[in-house]
Amino acid sequence: MALGECWKQLSWFYYQYLLVTALYMLEPWERTVFNSLLISVAGMAIYTGYVFMPQHIMAILHYFELIQ
């Protein structure tokens, strides 16, 4: 029973996502292309933040002499 409720909640969130982004007006293949691009951009942003943010944080800390 819990799995059915979880699925219902996830489908409600997906429906809200479609309404907010106006994707419900697109055809399924257009929606797939948009979602693929969105996931790709978000993935690249997370990866870039993971790789480069520590370097920038360390440079800021050195600049303000919080660490030697």
Side-chain angles (χ1 to χ4, degrees):
M1 200 57 141
L3 186 60
E5 302 244 347
C6 182
W7 185 256
K8 186 177 178 182
Q9 186 73 20
L10 283 175
S11 62
W12 184 80
F13 283 136
Y14 181 68
Y15 183 66
Q16 291 297 316
Y17 164 72
L18 290 177
L19 289 176
V20 168
T21 57
L23 290 176
Y24 66 93
M25 295 185 293
L26 300 177
E27 293 184 16
W29 70 270
E30 294 170 325
R31 206 176 303 150
T32 302
V33 168
F34 178 84
N35 288 332
S36 298
L37 290 173
L38 181 66
I39 290 172
S40 297
V41 169
M44 287 187 285
I46 290 170
Y47 173 76
T48 301
Y50 177 75
V51 170
F52 293 111
M53 284 304 286
Q55 297 171 1
H56 291 297
I57 291 171
M58 291 303 291
I60 290 169
L61 292 176
H62 282 292
Y63 178 78
F64 290 112
E65 298 175 355
L66 296 174
I67 62 172
Q68 300 299 327

